[in-house]
Amino acid sequence: MARPSRQDTATEAPATTRTARRGESHDRAVGARAVPAVLDRCRALVRPALEEAVGRLHPWVGEMAAYSFGWCEVGGAPAVASGGKGVRQALAVLGAEAAGAPGRAGVAAAVAVELVHTFSLLHDDIMDGDTDRRRRPTVWRAYGTGPAVLAGDALFALAVETLAAQPGGAAGVRTLSVALGDLVRGQADDLLFADRPWTGPERVRPDEYRAMAEHKTGALLGCAAALGAVLGGARPETAAALDRAGRHLGVAFQIVDDVLGIWGDPGVTGKPVHGDLRERKKTFPVLVALGSPMGGRIAALLESGAATDTAAALIEEAGGRAAAMAEARRHLAAVETSLAGAPLAAEAARDLRSLLEYLVRRDV
């Protein structure tokens, strides 16, 4: 955000304006503090239905699913591991409430989206070769590649079955199908990006990255809120507005995650300093910097995998960090525009806005 000029600050704003600004800041702070309670409430509402759905799976497959949710250890013993925040299921519950329905109307949507999200993580970990998730071995490392693929397939099938069984489930399945198609498209682009050169006409452009992030990350976030609204009886335009908001949120979330992956505090992020640079990921700040006059030097450092501290400094000097945060703010503004144009229940809309801001306003 630009600093005010001397002329702007020479005369104080009227008291009513200053009070309003303090009120807005206070509301945002209260909202941020309330988000964990919102997440807890939504998880408590969804957890019994999610457990019931997983309980219908083959026992061995169900154990792998429970392990992936953080409910058990290998072999089925109860786990003490965290199962994640449950963001997508919260979006589904809040989507139903924003449409004027009770939160329980969005539970089936929450279950379906959580199943799909977990399915995608199981397969992503295999494709990316990731061995740990939430400080535990990934499912493919704990059970084997074949079993992990099977568990992911089972979760996907269960998600469709869960939605199809609901009144109005056909519309829900269509909404989920669109998001799944986009998710696959985004994952395909992300995998292909890794093989493209750092520089030259074939390099990955920032606009390609935006599209990838919207599909891979934003599609399921938008689907969660829209699905809850659909099962809550919302009009199509309301569901579409929530979907757009979630998609913009996904881009903002991914770009902020990119910034944290280079400059974040490891004590907060759980990631090593400059971890994304060591892994030579083509993240948004990097792609912007590669298009600058310093791009050749940055590319050489990234290709070698050495001197990541120097690479991080050059990327920031080339404007990569500033451009990334400006892009994230632009998408956050688009989130607000999408929500402002929809007829949403006031209290649920407030919780929804607080959750969306909480997801991207991290320590950057």
Side-chain angles (χ1 to χ4, degrees), residues 73-99:
E73 304 294 351
V74 175
V80 295
S82 167
K85 294 183 176 68
V87 167
R88 289 158 189 82
Q89 54 188 278
L91 287 173
V93 170
L94 293 175
E97 292 177 347

Side-chain angles (χ1 to χ4, degrees):
M1 182 180 295
R3 294 182 179 179
S5 67
R6 287 192 177 90
Q7 183 177 358
D8 293 332
T9 56
T11 304
E12 279 200 6
T16 52
T17 304
R18 296 198 307 274
T19 301
R21 288 173 180 167
R22 284 196 298 269
E24 290 170 2
S25 299
H26 174 74
D27 288 347
R28 284 196 295 271
V30 170
R33 290 196 298 270
V35 165
V38 171
L39 291 171
D40 288 344
R41 175 176 69 83
C42 294
R43 278 196 305 267
L45 189 62
V46 173
R47 175 73 178 261
L50 188 57
E51 288 182 341
E52 189 276 330
V54 171
R56 299 199 302 271
L57 296 172
H58 181 285
W60 183 46
V61 176
E63 180 190 312
M64 288 186 281
Y67 176 87
S68 67
F69 285 120
W71 301 343
C72 74
E73 304 294 351
V74 175
V80 295
S82 167
K85 294 183 176 68
V87 167
R88 289 158 189 82
Q89 54 188 278
L91 287 173
V93 170
L94 293 175
E97 292 177 347
R104 64 179 178 273
V107 166
V111 170
V113 170
E114 193 70 11
L115 292 170
V116 166
H117 174 56
T118 306
F119 139 74
S120 72
L121 295 181
L122 264 62
H123 285 196
D124 282 0
D125 287 340
I126 295 168
M127 286 184 278
D128 297 340
D130 290 338
T131 58
D132 293 285
R133 181 172 292 279
R134 297 177 187 140
R135 298 180 174 84
R136 296 201 302 171
T138 50
V139 175
W140 74 269
R141 286 289 291 173
Y143 291 88
T145 302
V149 171
L150 179 65
D153 292 345
L155 292 174
F156 170 69
L158 187 58
V160 175
E161 175 192 329
T162 298
L163 273 184
Q166 299 302 307
V173 170
R174 285 194 296 271
T175 300
L176 182 64
S177 296
V178 171
L180 282 169
D182 283 346
L183 190 154
V184 170
R185 180 186 294 272
Q187 178 68 8
D189 283 339
D190 196 29
L191 289 172
L192 289 170
F193 286 175
D195 295 327
R196 288 171 60 179
W198 292 103
T199 57
E202 296 302 314
R203 72 181 180 88
V204 180
R205 309 285 174 169
D207 59 336
E208 294 178 281
Y209 183 92
R210 290 186 198 97
M212 180 279 294
E214 179 190 331
H215 291 143
K216 183 178 177 180
T217 305
L220 202 54
L221 291 172
C223 176
L227 262 185
V230 166
L231 296 189
R235 294 174 63 86
E237 54 267 30
T238 299
L242 290 169
D243 181 72
R244 284 195 302 275
R247 286 171 178 265
H248 283 294
L249 169 69
V251 180
F253 179 88
Q254 188 61 61
I255 290 175
V256 169
D257 203 55
D258 290 347
V259 172
L260 292 172
I262 300 175
W263 297 284
D265 178 356
V268 175
T269 66
K271 300 178 180 181
V273 175
H274 305 152
D276 281 0
L277 297 182
R278 289 190 184 87
E279 295 178 23
R280 296 189 290 183
K281 291 184 178 180
K282 293 183 174 72
T283 59
F284 192 87
V286 171
L287 297 178
V288 170
L290 288 171
S292 75
M294 289 183 280
R297 185 180 173 194
I298 293 169
L301 288 170
L302 294 173
E303 187 62 37
S304 70
T308 54
D309 53 344
T310 303
L314 287 176
I315 291 166
E316 184 161 14
E317 185 180 345
R321 183 174 185 171
M325 294 311 301
E327 184 71 14
R329 285 192 293 270
R330 187 175 73 81
H331 285 280
L332 276 179
V335 168
E336 181 56 39
T337 299
S338 299
L339 295 179
L344 306 177
E347 185 174 351
R350 185 168 60 250
D351 285 345
L352 192 59
R353 284 184 169 90
S354 296
L355 176 58
L356 299 181
E357 289 190 5
Y358 172 82
L359 292 176
V360 292
R361 296 190 187 282
R362 292 171 284 170
D363 184 9
V364 295

